[in-house]
Amino acid sequence: MTPLEQIELPAAFRAAVCIMRLTLEANITQEGGWAEAEICAPPPAGSAPEFQDTVTGTIVLTNSGVGLRAEGRLQTQVTLPCSRCTKEHVVPLDIQVSEECTLQDIDQPQTYQETEADDNLTPILNGNEIDLSELVRQLLNLHLPSRSLCKPDCAGLCPNCGQDLNEGSCHCPAEE
Ligand SMILES: [Zn+2]
Ligand SMILES: [Zn+2]
């Protein structure tokens, strides 16, 4: 883990659009330093394959003195199977981000792996860049809905023959 004193965040740095990385230019290590990233990028490598759409949004990283605070918003679309009938359908995601993070140095893979197992959110520090793709990947997976219906009144599948009851009833007896 990178000691906080070594984190160099610019006081006010607005990153270019369409990036997943922040370049740290200013030598400001003080508490309260912050950086803003506007994100418009494909889902990061390693995120669940069902994320198809571009990830957009804004994340502000703030040096809180004890860690990094990530705040902002991420939007994308995800393809999920219906919890009742298993039909794949597209669900828009609008994620409010407000998380404490631990900045990880890319040169310390062991620490990084331990941290990931602990479910901590980790922007990756690589030289003078912060790689946000790992943080975004974790945020997307964290906020993936565990249940989703293709439509609110989805009739589901017949538990007996598997017929999709949205497409019509089957001929199974009503009772088991
Ligand atoms: Zn359904
Ligand atoms: Zn049936």
Side-chain angles (χ1 to χ4, degrees), residues 34-111:
W34 61 278
E36 175 177 331
E38 293 198 22
I39 292 168
C40 174
S47 56
E50 58 264 29
F51 290 103
Q52 307 290 347
D53 205 40
T54 302
V55 182
T56 58
T58 306
I59 289 185
V60 176
L61 292 174
T62 307
N63 183 334
S64 67
V66 292
L68 278 185
R69 180 139 197 94
E71 290 184 309
R73 204 162 180 180
L74 290 177
Q75 286 155 319
T76 188
Q77 292 194 336
V78 60
T79 302
L80 292 174
C82 173
S83 301
R84 285 187 195 151
C85 74
T86 73
K87 186 167 113 190
E88 297 217 315
H89 59 291
V90 174
V91 181
L93 288 186
D94 188 348
I95 300 169
Q96 201 72 38
V97 177
S98 182
E99 310 282 349
E100 293 292 339
C101 314
T102 311
L103 197 61
Q104 296 292 320
D105 198 316
I106 200 167
D107 295 331
Q108 297 178 328
Q110 276 188 330
T111 314

Side-chain angles (χ1 to χ4, degrees), residues 158 160-163 170-172:
C158 169
N160 193 30
C161 71
Q163 158 85 22
C170 58
H171 301 293
C172 294

Side-chain angles (χ1 to χ4, degrees), residues 98-168:
S98 182
E99 310 282 349
E100 293 292 339
C101 314
T102 311
L103 197 61
Q104 296 292 320
D105 198 316
I106 200 167
D107 295 331
Q108 297 178 328
Q110 276 188 330
T111 314
Y112 162 53
Q113 281 170 7
E114 274 175 31
T115 301
E116 191 173 42
D118 288 346
D119 267 354
N120 285 336
L121 296 163
T122 52
I124 305 297
L125 187 66
N126 185 5
N128 66 340
E129 287 181 341
I130 290 180
D131 186 346
L132 291 178
S133 57
E134 173 61 16
L135 175 67
V136 169
R137 186 188 71 77
Q138 293 177 334
L139 287 170
L140 292 179
N141 289 332
L142 195 65
H143 290 89
L144 198 61
S146 55
R147 271 180 63 84
S148 180
L149 297 179
C150 63
K151 54 185 180 181
D153 60 345
C154 174
L157 303 178
C158 169
N160 193 30
C161 71
Q163 158 85 22
D164 185 344
L165 299 176
N166 296 304
E167 293 170 3

Side-chain angles (χ1 to χ4, degrees), residues 7-28:
I7 299 172
E8 297 179 353
L9 285 180
F13 175 72
R14 183 176 284 268
V17 177
C18 294
I19 58 144
M20 277 288 195
R21 269 179 281 185
L22 279 176
T23 303
L24 303 178
E25 292 176 337
N27 287 328
I28 295 171

